[in-house]
Every structure is written in structure tokens, then in C-alpha cells.
Amino acid sequence: MRRSGGHFHSVAAAWLLKVLAVAAASLALAACVVYEPASYQTASTYDRAWAAAIGAMQDQGVAINDQDRAAGVLRGTRGPTGVTAVVRTRPDGRVQVEFNTTGTSSDAGLVERIGESYNRRMGR
């Protein structure tokens, strides 16, 4: 019994087709490019908190008289009332901001309104 060459050709063609499919898949994957995310500078949390504290005090009519960014202290006045903001970086990396008033004040809600302005400016 003699076999025809057709069987050999179909096995060779199947093998060739598999090799070509693997090669095509490899080339397709090699053509994929992964780009690094674009780097850009954003304000640090401390910088944002500092700017928001200044803005919040100004929003409520406080005239800022002294700014010591290195110490994290802002001092201002609104009429007879002194207002102080202290911006600190905590050990866990979060930033803490405190607002206080001194002197006589007929505006008991000033610190709360400054805090609300600060939170709005920080997107909270």
C-alpha cells in the first residue's frame, strides 16, 4: 500500500501555519509600546495648606501682618481681634492647620468661618 504525498503536505502546511501564527503574535506584542506617565510638578500638601490658610484668612477679612513660612505661622488682624494660623507637617506626613483668635472680639464665629473657607479651598 502506498501513501500519497497529500498527507505529508497537510502536516507540513499545518506546522507552517502554527509557526507563522506564533511569529505574527510575537511581532504584534513587540509592536506594543508602554509609555511612562508624564511627570509634572504639583504643589506639595504643605504648600497647598499654606496657600489655603492665607486665602481663608483673607476671605474672612483678616489682614495678614506676618508670614513665617519656615515656622508655619501666619499672623493677622481683623479689627481688635488677632488671628493666628499654624501649619505643621505631622510625623505621618499629613498636614495639620490650626486657627486661633486673641483679643476682644464681637465675632465669635470668626474661627469657624475661617475653617470653613480653608476646607472649601482644600476641596473638602
Side-chain angles (χ1 to χ4, degrees):
M1 227 165 140
R2 190 168 180 221
R3 285 194 166 182
S4 70
H7 177 69
F8 175 74
H9 289 297
S10 65
V11 171
W15 182 82
L16 183 59
L17 186 61
K18 288 179 185 177
V19 169
L20 288 175
V22 169
S26 297
L27 289 173
L29 288 176
C32 293
V33 177
V34 177
Y35 294 100
E36 292 292 324
S39 64
Y40 56 92
Q41 288 283 4
T42 59
S44 73
T45 305
Y46 185 89
D47 293 338
R48 286 188 63 227
W50 180 260
I54 291 171
M57 291 172 70
Q58 291 172 339
D59 288 348
Q60 299 305 318
V62 176
I64 297 173
N65 304 322
D66 184 35
Q67 297 183 32
D68 185 351
R69 191 176 184 292
V73 179
L74 293 166
R75 288 185 184 86
T77 56
R78 182 170 186 247
T81 305
V83 179
T84 303
V86 180
V87 181
R88 291 189 187 109
T89 302
R90 299 175 62 174
D92 64 1
R94 294 185 298 163
V95 176
Q96 176 181 352
V97 180
E98 295 176 19
F99 297 101
N100 297 300
T101 58
T102 58
T104 59
S105 174
S106 60
D107 189 356
L110 180 60
V111 170
E112 287 79 18
R113 287 195 315 276
I114 293 171
E116 289 169 2
S117 290
Y118 172 80
N119 285 332
R120 266 192 313 277
R121 286 176 168 272
M122 291 298 287
R124 298 179 189 158

